[in-house]
Amino acid sequence: MDSRNSDTAAGDTEPPLSDTVRDALKIVVVGGFGAGKTTMVGSVSEIRPLSTEETMTQAGVGIDDISRVEHKRTTTVAFDFGRISLDERRVLYLFGAPGQERFWFLWDRLFSGTLGAIVLVDTRRLEDSFYCLDRLEAHSTPFVVAVNRFPGPRPPLDRVRDALSLPEDVPIVDCDARRRESAKSVLITLVRYLTRLAEAGAPEPMAAAERSTP
């Protein structure tokens, strides 16, 4: 996603990790190529995010589909990393996974020890989200879906839910990955969902279902 006036949280002085922190929670942000994962991690992180973005070159021609993200000039080649403190005892570590198929081999390691995930969706390329959902289901990783709105048609959330075959209990929300408050709202939605699952006991595995573009 283009960095259009992103409200980044990191400033000239980055807050140190508090001595009172006892619990570190790992969250992974996944999604298709160009869905806005790097932008989301950067907008919400309280520290200057670690990014492995590299300039796209001719080597990616014919491999990376940029037909609907033609203005994209960089791509994540490993992962993005950020941090946000929930309170004096708990901190979230955010990992943004690379979206291109040639980097999917990294995902299993990123999912290890993950509390939950955010699936960032671009409705112009909804099919790019299918692999993300399949891998999360295979790992039994709880997740929420955040629809990152780009210019163009804006299908309602219920149509997106149907197209992704999401069960009714899986949260799906609108977001603007460039805006810190919007990204924080997605994280809050995920934490509340994880809390609800924990209170209800272990969730049953989701059945694989056919997915289609709305």
Side-chain angles (χ1 to χ4, degrees), residues 14-78:
E14 298 180 358
L17 187 62
S18 173
D19 292 336
T20 62
V21 170
R22 296 293 179 268
D23 298 317
L25 312 174
K26 180 180 179 183
I27 299 296
V28 174
V29 182
V30 299
F33 178 53
K37 300 177 295 297
T38 298
T39 300
M40 171 172 275
V41 172
S43 69
V44 76
S45 178
E46 66 190 16
I47 61 172
R48 189 174 303 281
L50 169 65
S51 177
T52 57
E53 288 249 304
E54 297 290 342
T55 301
M56 297 176 65
T57 67
Q58 288 297 112
V61 175
I63 300 176
D64 298 328
D65 180 10
I66 63 170
S67 59
R68 298 186 188 177
V69 287
E70 58 273 8
H71 298 300
K72 188 172 176 60
R73 296 293 178 263
T74 60
T75 185
T76 300
V77 297

Side-chain angles (χ1 to χ4, degrees), residues 111-133:
F111 290 164
S112 178
T114 297
L115 185 66
I118 295 168
V119 181
L120 202 57
V121 169
D122 176 357
T123 56
R124 301 171 304 175
R125 299 157 58 98
L126 196 62
E127 64 278 5
D128 291 353
S129 306
F130 297 168
Y131 180 80
C132 307
L133 297 172

